[in-house]
Amino acid sequence: MSQRSLTAFALIAAALLAAGCTTNAPWGSATPGTTSSTGAPAGGICSGPPAQVVVGQNSTAKVVEDARVRSGAQMARVLRPDQIVTKEFDATRLNLQVDANGRIVAARCG
């Protein structure tokens, strides 16, 4: 391979690496800091405070979905007492902790 070919290859490789380092909002639909028409953060990143309104309510499908939409999260999961759960942090997930009766006792992102 000639010096010119190696230089061209290195430039192309550098451009591809740089392109891989760019970030897009989840689903490519929003920029950080924007909000939806409901006032919830857009783009799938969870914000816990808007979901606090469901604390004390029963964890019905409607209430869980309302909390998810309010938080701006892409997904929500209900955590029951003594349930084994994964501990990895996911900024697009809302966790709703419930008591033995299914009443929501905490709403947190992650």
Side-chain angles (χ1 to χ4, degrees), residues 3 14 19 55 79 93 96 98:
Q3 182 65 25
V55 172
L79 306 175
R93 180 177 57 210
L96 298 172
V98 300

Side-chain angles (χ1 to χ4, degrees), residues 22-36 40-46:
T22 61
T23 60
N24 291 325
W27 305 103
S29 62
T31 57
T34 60
T35 56
S36 68
I45 302 300
C46 181

Side-chain angles (χ1 to χ4, degrees), residues 6-70:
L6 286 174
T7 303
F9 178 75
L11 288 173
I12 292 170
L16 290 172
L17 285 172
C21 293
T22 61
T23 60
N24 291 325
W27 305 103
S29 62
T31 57
T34 60
T35 56
S36 68
S37 61
T38 63
I45 302 300
C46 181
S47 175
Q52 297 304 311
V53 298
V54 300
V55 172
Q57 297 183 38
N58 287 325
S59 58
T60 63
K62 183 178 179 198
V63 171
V64 170
E65 179 62 7
D66 180 46
R68 186 198 64 77
V69 169
R70 287 175 180 271

Side-chain angles (χ1 to χ4, degrees), residues 72-94:
Q74 287 182 4
M75 67 188 104
R77 68 177 176 177
V78 176
L79 306 175
R80 292 171 175 36
D82 301 320
Q83 177 181 348
I84 297 173
V85 295
T86 59
K87 297 282 186 168
E88 84 283 352
F89 182 82
D90 184 344
T92 66
R93 180 177 57 210
L94 175 67

